[in-house]
Amino acid sequence: MIRTKGRACTGKRRHDTRDEAEEHRDRLLAKGAVRIAAYACRHRGCGGWHVGHLPKPRT
Ligand SMILES: [Zn+2]
């Protein structure tokens, strides 16, 4: 296993489809998480979906 530094998606749950990611998000929301969303990974070689915190809205 290769560990990469930085903001790579290592350590995060990876989902093949948006549906799976949203299901995961729903489970986290049910546990009390807030402001999280499913998003498509931009990391090369991943091509999956992850669940993470939303960026702060700029107002
Ligand atoms: Zn990823």
Side-chain angles (χ1 to χ4, degrees):
M1 184 205 277
I2 298 170
R3 287 198 177 224
T4 48
K5 271 187 174 182
R7 306 217 170 163
C9 47
T10 47
K12 284 190 181 170
R13 279 284 254 303
R14 181 185 167 279
H15 304 278
D16 284 325
T17 66
R18 178 184 202 145
D19 280 354
E20 280 179 30
E22 288 185 342
E23 219 176 283
H24 181 204
R25 178 205 57 192
D26 287 347
R27 278 199 297 275
L28 292 176
L29 287 174
K31 285 197 282 183
V34 290
R35 301 191 54 75
I36 55 171
Y39 63 92
C41 185
R42 283 188 284 172
H43 209 69
R44 242 182 230 196
C46 177
W49 287 74
H50 298 295
V51 176
H53 288 270
L54 290 170
K56 285 186 184 171
R58 11 175 176 157
T59 26

